[in-house]
Amino acid sequence: VALEDVFAPGEGQLALLELVKASIAPGAALDQFCARLVEPAQTDSHADQLKALFAGLTSATDKEDMLEIVKTTLIMRLARNLECGAVLLGDSATRTAVKVMALTGHGRGLSLPLEAGTESQWFHGVVVVRPMRDFVVKEIAFFNRWTRQRAAFVPTFTTGGPRRASIGRLAEAFIVELDRDFPSTVPTVCRTLQKLEPRAEALAARPCVVCGMPAEPDAHAWRSRLTISNAQDTEQLPVPVEASAADSLDITSCLCYSCQNMLHHTTPGTVLPRFCTTQLQNAEDSTASANNHNDLRAKIEEFLIDDSDGSDNEH
């Protein structure tokens, strides 16, 4: 499976989501993220679309986040196509500790147990298990050397770069350097992670249209109150104006806090992978179903019998 397969058309031949330059105003009362459905040019290959996606992301942190999202989506898609009920990931204890720090820095505390826990059932039909989480990376390296196992190395955008190249790179340097003097660092972080349980609101939340993790209700309002993007953000700015494009879609409520930060500085006109359109359609279908249920209940409310009334009559 190639990374560019995230732009391959699937069932239904869904269009792609393109971010439009509309009302993304740093420091405003509420940021608004708008996109529109577009058909990709016939001359653009899937590889070209993938390159354009990462070119539209302005920081190494955002590029690494999107790369992780793409890889996770492809793994889950392959597992479903092969009818696999479980996916085993090779995250070591060291990698898990780094991931905990990086996800916390990204503002993914709500989905932390789902993204880094020993077992996650968030992905429908596929259980994600991390059986290597009890072994630190040094133990795995010695085992591979003694048994002459081949090791695969997959570089990222900040491999070999300075420690401040990205949040993930900084988290890795922090854990590795701290564990060098305090060997109990990695086990302590992993034991702390084991105590975390997904909150009920996380399990009930709609998936984010970009990363697929729980999208916090009113995450955009919470982000606007707490996040400072520029020096002038400390002052209240006017509410963003509406998008000029008539066919634009407001996807703000369908984004988690972390993905809002990622798209905040994304170049307008960037086309998101095809799975984002699928997840947006699923979110709209679930919202429509919930609205229909509420409308139906409102219509028959007067015909329903209150349980308390029945109990009072019995006495």
Side-chain angles (χ1 to χ4, degrees):
V1 178
L3 291 178
E4 57 264 26
D5 288 346
V6 291
F7 286 97
E11 297 181 4
Q13 304 292 321
L14 296 175
L16 299 175
L17 272 180
E18 178 189 40
L19 293 177
V20 297
K21 187 178 181 181
S23 62
I24 299 181
L30 290 178
D31 279 355
Q32 187 179 25
F33 299 88
C34 298
R36 63 182 179 183
L37 295 175
V38 296
E39 291 292 341
Q42 298 295 332
T43 56
D44 294 341
S45 64
H46 297 156
D48 293 336
Q49 295 174 8
L50 183 66
K51 293 178 181 178
L53 169 65
F54 286 108
L57 302 172
T58 56
S59 69
T61 297
D62 295 341
K63 294 178 189 290
E64 286 187 341
D65 287 351
M66 182 58 71
L67 179 60
E68 186 67 24
I69 292 171
V70 168
K71 290 193 296 185
T72 302
T73 302
L74 290 176
I75 291 174
M76 294 299 108
R77 180 188 300 176
L78 181 62
R80 293 188 180 96
N81 292 340
L82 297 177
E83 298 182 353
C84 297
V87 171
L88 307 183
L89 299 181
D91 294 349
S92 63
T94 307
R95 174 51 52 189
T96 299
V98 172
K99 198 170 185 179
V100 168
M101 300 303 297
L103 292 175
T104 304
H106 285 302
R108 290 188 173 274
L110 186 67
S111 61
L112 184 59
L114 302 175
E115 295 191 68
T118 305
E119 181 177 324
S120 175
Q121 301 186 14
W122 171 256
F123 302 97
H124 299 292
V126 180
V127 179
V128 177
V129 183
R130 296 174 175 85
M132 302 290 292
R133 214 188 67 170
D134 293 331
F135 305 97
V136 298
V137 68
K138 188 178 295 185
E139 294 173 331
I140 298 175
F142 279 128
F143 176 83
N144 290 341
R145 180 178 178 84
W146 292 336
T147 59
R148 298 181 180 181
Q149 299 290 333
R150 291 190 304 171
F153 174 73
V154 181
T156 64
F157 290 96
T158 58
T159 300
R163 56 183 297 161
R164 296 187 179 182
S166 68
I167 293 179
R169 180 71 183 88
L170 182 61
E172 180 181 19
F174 173 76
I175 290 295
V176 172
E177 293 175 7
L178 188 62
D179 191 66
R180 187 181 304 155
D181 298 326
F182 304 95
S184 62
T185 299
V186 169
T188 300
V189 175
C190 291
R191 284 196 299 268
T192 303
L193 176 62
Q194 289 179 346
K195 299 178 182 179
L196 300 179
E197 295 290 340
R199 300 179 60 179
E201 61 186 73
L203 298 176
R206 71 170 67 180
C208 173
V209 298
V210 177
C211 67
M213 287 292 115
E216 310 93 320
D218 298 328
H220 57 300
W222 184 73
R223 174 184 174 276
S224 297
R225 290 195 303 268
L226 300 181
T227 302
I228 298 178
S229 301
N230 301 310
Q232 59 179 333
D233 286 358
T234 55
E235 299 180 359
Q236 185 71 13
L237 298 180
V239 178
V241 298
E242 295 294 332
S244 58
D247 56 348
S248 63
L249 302 172
D250 187 353
I251 61 174
T252 307
S253 61
C254 301
L255 296 172
C256 67
Y257 171 83
S258 181
C259 288
Q260 287 186 23
N261 287 335
M262 179 175 62
L263 297 184
H264 184 82
H265 301 290
T266 302
T267 304
T270 301
V271 178
L272 300 177
R274 196 173 296 274
F275 61 80
C276 295
T277 312
T278 304
Q279 293 177 159
L280 178 61
Q281 186 180 52
N282 294 337
E284 292 178 346
D285 292 343
S286 61
T287 302
S289 177
N291 292 337
N292 291 337
H293 174 75
N294 293 334
D295 293 341
L296 179 60
R297 182 172 181 84
K299 292 179 181 178
I300 65 174
E301 188 74 31
E302 57 180 315
F303 301 101
L304 298 179
I305 300 176
D306 192 352
D307 292 339
S308 61
D309 296 340
S311 60
D312 293 340
N313 293 333
E314 291 178 1
H315 294 287

